Amino acid sequence: MSDETLTPDLCVIGASAAGAALAAAAAANGLSVVLIEPQGAGDRRLHCAGLGVHAFAAVARSIHEVRQAARFGLGAMQPEIDFARVRELVVKKLADLSQNESDARLTGIGVRVIEGDARFVDARTLTIDGREIRARRFVLAAASVPVVPQIAGLARARHFTSDTILDLHESVRHLIVIGAGSTGLALAQSFRRLGADVTVLDGAAPLHDEDSECSAVVLGALARERVIIHSGVAIERVEGKKGSVRVTLVSAGEEQSIEGTHLLIAAGRRTPVEGLGLELAGIELDSGVVSVGSNLRTTNSRVFAIGDAAGGWDAPHAARWQARLVLGNLLFRFPVRSMADRIPRFTATDPELAHVGLREDEARRQHRRIRILRAPFFENDRAEIEREGKGMIKLVTARSGRIVGATMVGVGARELIGTYALAVARRMNVRNFINPLFPYPSRGEIGQQAALGDFASGLTNRWVQRIMKTMRLFD
């Protein structure tokens, strides 16, 4: 125990990758920084950021490409899969990457890392192991944890989450996934490609938060790979014993059971804030989530919240962006305005599904008139020569042509969506995409094709036709 009182410029509370990034950047800019995290949390940052999901997806895609070699005139091949070796390589790669955000590196650049359980005692003071911390500003940046639903028998059955999937050492014969969201479907497809039978269960429609037209392309691909999805079901109980698991569910009023060898829970994530003494600091919660405004401040003006702690911001890239906004405020008093419609998101399935801004249904509610512009991947020469023509871009514009939303589904969607995130943030008109030159052949031309469709439709306007007819008289 110690009566030492620390008075840093910034105290970051949490073990998330965004919290570590903020602490590092603040220290590099001359601020005194304390980072508080649970014991051993530094080693788990990349796991909590979901990088293991993407690592598995990358391996699975490579295996799938080998199987699809016949598309290019090569003989059909069935690769021999050594799951233990695959896991070993994924774990090693994550361990290598984790060095960039390790506690040792943070300490080396001037961040004081303290492990333990912290608690606010008033609006300006935090305590941890007998120390008092009275920072100029606090930032809540706790890492989220998987939600484990209250299902009878689940606590006694062996199960995995996206954070613990790397604890799996043996190959999987039949994986049952509870949760048909982004993470659940990405892991379902990966394990299917690694040779397992896969059944996905959810009470809601799969990818229900995404554009239905584009998500249908993803679901069609999963169906072709024989990933079985049961939606609209109520899960009654789980029974497990060594080497097997049984899930009992109700579908259309009838009870049925599904048996598998392994169970994965992918029912979303939440940020644990219990025990932080937020009520003593004047920090309010909304349905168990820290209440923040668009300026990322809590109801205590000295305390910011970023990433998972801000509620609904579980994407690592969004949290890091928020960290930069907070840092700008700390250093230069720049105003903070974090807008959800500027944050791109994607699903790590194959094909990828990426989105930014408003969906079509949201845009129809917010704007009197909108336009929908589409361009299929099969009209793109790069996609066709690489046999990746399944997919599309869908742009949603206001009546003026301003891009208010974009969805892409297809190979490379996560790389391309950044351009449209910039367009939404800068309130760009779709016709800004007509003139830029893209290398040929490239997938960048897909969005330009959609923009050209808007331009061509404008040529049919009767006033434009009259002007064009008049101009021809002067030839």
Side-chain angles (χ1 to χ4, degrees), residues 169-181:
H169 291 266
E170 71 273 15
S171 59
V172 178
R173 292 197 308 275
H174 185 177
L175 178 68
I176 299 176
V177 181
I178 295 179

Side-chain angles (χ1 to χ4, degrees), residues 153-206:
L154 181 59
R156 297 186 299 275
R158 184 191 185 206
H159 60 272
F160 298 89
T161 69
S162 59
D163 285 3
T164 62
I165 194 66
L166 291 178
D167 296 340
L168 179 62
H169 291 266
E170 71 273 15
S171 59
V172 178
R173 292 197 308 275
H174 185 177
L175 178 68
I176 299 176
V177 181
I178 295 179
S182 174
T183 299
L185 292 185
L187 284 171
Q189 185 179 43
S190 296
F191 275 89
R192 177 64 188 142
R193 290 177 168 185
L194 289 168
D197 292 331
V198 178
T199 303
V200 182
L201 310 174
D202 203 317

Side-chain angles (χ1 to χ4, degrees), residues 287-469:
S287 300
V289 175
V290 176
S291 179
V292 297
S294 61
N295 61 359
L296 298 177
R297 291 182 189 268
T298 68
T299 47
N300 179 338
S301 62
R302 291 181 175 273
V303 184
F304 292 89
I306 64 173
D308 304 328
W313 300 87
D314 57 351
H317 59 280
R320 288 189 170 100
W321 176 59
Q322 292 172 336
R324 292 196 295 271
L325 294 177
V326 170
L327 182 62
N329 179 268
L330 294 173
L331 294 174
F332 308 111
R333 298 297 186 271
F334 289 157
V336 175
R337 192 179 181 203
S338 182
M339 301 178 65
D341 62 359
R342 297 183 181 184
I343 307 294
R345 63 177 183 265
F346 76 94
T347 299
T349 49
D350 181 15
E352 296 169 344
L353 175 64
H355 174 80
V356 67
L358 302 177
R359 298 191 310 263
E360 178 182 353
D361 57 327
E362 294 170 329
R364 291 192 187 281
R365 289 194 295 269
Q366 294 188 30
H367 296 269
R368 290 180 59 189
R369 291 178 61 184
I370 65 171
R371 295 196 63 192
I372 306 297
L373 306 174
R374 300 175 179 85
F377 275 31
F378 65 74
E379 291 184 355
N380 177 264
D381 290 352
R382 166 83 184 274
E384 276 298 284
I385 62 175
E386 294 182 356
R387 311 300 196 272
E388 301 289 0
K390 291 184 175 63
M392 64 181 293
I393 182 172
K394 180 176 180 179
L395 300 180
V396 182
T397 76
R399 182 180 181 182
S400 63
R402 177 169 65 89
I403 299 175
V404 298
T407 305
M408 300 189 73
V409 57
V411 172
R414 82 172 83 176
E415 309 296 341
L416 295 171
I417 199 64
T419 300
Y420 300 94
L422 177 64
V424 170
R426 296 293 178 86
R427 302 172 66 87
M428 293 171 62
N429 193 290
V430 68
R431 299 196 178 190
N432 293 135
F433 285 85
I434 294 175
N435 292 324
L437 292 175
F438 294 90
Y440 174 84
S442 70
R443 290 187 175 85
E445 297 175 294
I446 296 171
Q448 190 172 54
Q449 188 66 33
L452 286 170
D454 177 70
F455 177 74
S457 65
L459 297 180
T460 63
N461 181 283
R462 63 189 181 94
W463 291 108
V464 174
Q465 290 287 323
R466 287 183 181 180
I467 293 171
M468 293 171 61
K469 184 176 180 180

